[in-house]
Amino acid sequence: MYCYSTQNNGESITLRWIKDGDDESKMMVTQNVPIGISILEAAHRNDIELEGACESSLACSTCHVILEDPIYDQLEEPSDDEYDLLDVAFGLTETSRLGCQITTAAQMDNMLITLPKATGISMLMMDLSRIIIDP
């Protein structure tokens, strides 16, 4: 599936997205993603399912993404606040980050971003539905 950003202010990159556990046939590709926007904003501009419940205020972990090792290693360390939120993220890995805290850059061109199978909010909703359905 190919999606195209509607706005391009100069340089842009291509990002590849896949849900954890899916095979490559379900990969989504977004082209013309402007450099300098967050991974979360890139997802939203291209209808990629990435929640971002706190609207980038660093108050949740619903925009949790898993990055490739080489890209993760080039990024600045997460802040203490981001680490605290990642601690409660579903499907945490060694290369997990919050999409709202990562700004796109030229070296991310063609990067694969893995989306966890669930987020904190979706897991909470599933737990609540079990309580309501099966008290």
Side-chain angles (χ1 to χ4, degrees):
M1 166 186 217
Y2 285 86
C3 302
Y4 298 89
S5 285
T6 56
Q7 181 180 358
N8 185 353
N9 297 331
E11 291 187 70
S12 63
I13 59 173
T14 296
L15 297 175
R16 299 174 299 134
W17 311 77
I18 194 164
K19 286 201 177 216
D20 192 25
D22 282 354
D23 62 47
E24 288 193 21
S25 69
K26 295 184 180 179
M27 184 181 306
M28 298 161 282
V29 178
T30 54
Q31 297 179 331
N32 300 321
V33 175
I35 290 176
I37 66 171
S38 72
I39 296 292
L40 178 61
E41 186 176 350
H44 287 180
R45 287 184 181 192
N46 290 283
D47 298 321
I48 304 292
E49 291 183 32
L50 187 59
E51 287 184 51
C54 73
E55 299 180 359
S56 300
S57 66
L58 197 54
C60 73
S61 62
T62 61
C63 65
H64 167 221
V65 295
I66 302 165
L67 305 176
E68 295 175 297
D69 288 339
I71 297 296
Y72 182 89
D73 293 341
Q74 293 177 30
L75 298 173
E76 292 182 24
E77 284 285 315
S79 68
D80 289 341
D81 289 339
E82 184 178 357
Y83 272 130
D84 289 345
L85 292 169
L86 285 168
D87 281 342
V88 297
F90 177 80
L92 187 67
T93 72
E94 291 291 319
T95 61
S96 290
R97 292 295 301 264
L98 298 180
C100 68
Q101 298 301 299
I102 306 301
T103 302
T104 56
Q107 68 266 27
M108 294 177 179
D109 192 34
N110 208 35
M111 171 177 67
L112 178 63
I113 300 167
T114 302
L115 305 172
K117 290 181 183 179
T119 64
I121 286 183
S122 60
M123 292 302 294
L124 176 63
M125 296 306 286
M126 286 190 290
D127 288 343
L128 287 175
S129 69
R130 283 189 213 123
I131 293 167
I132 293 168
I133 293 170
D134 188 22

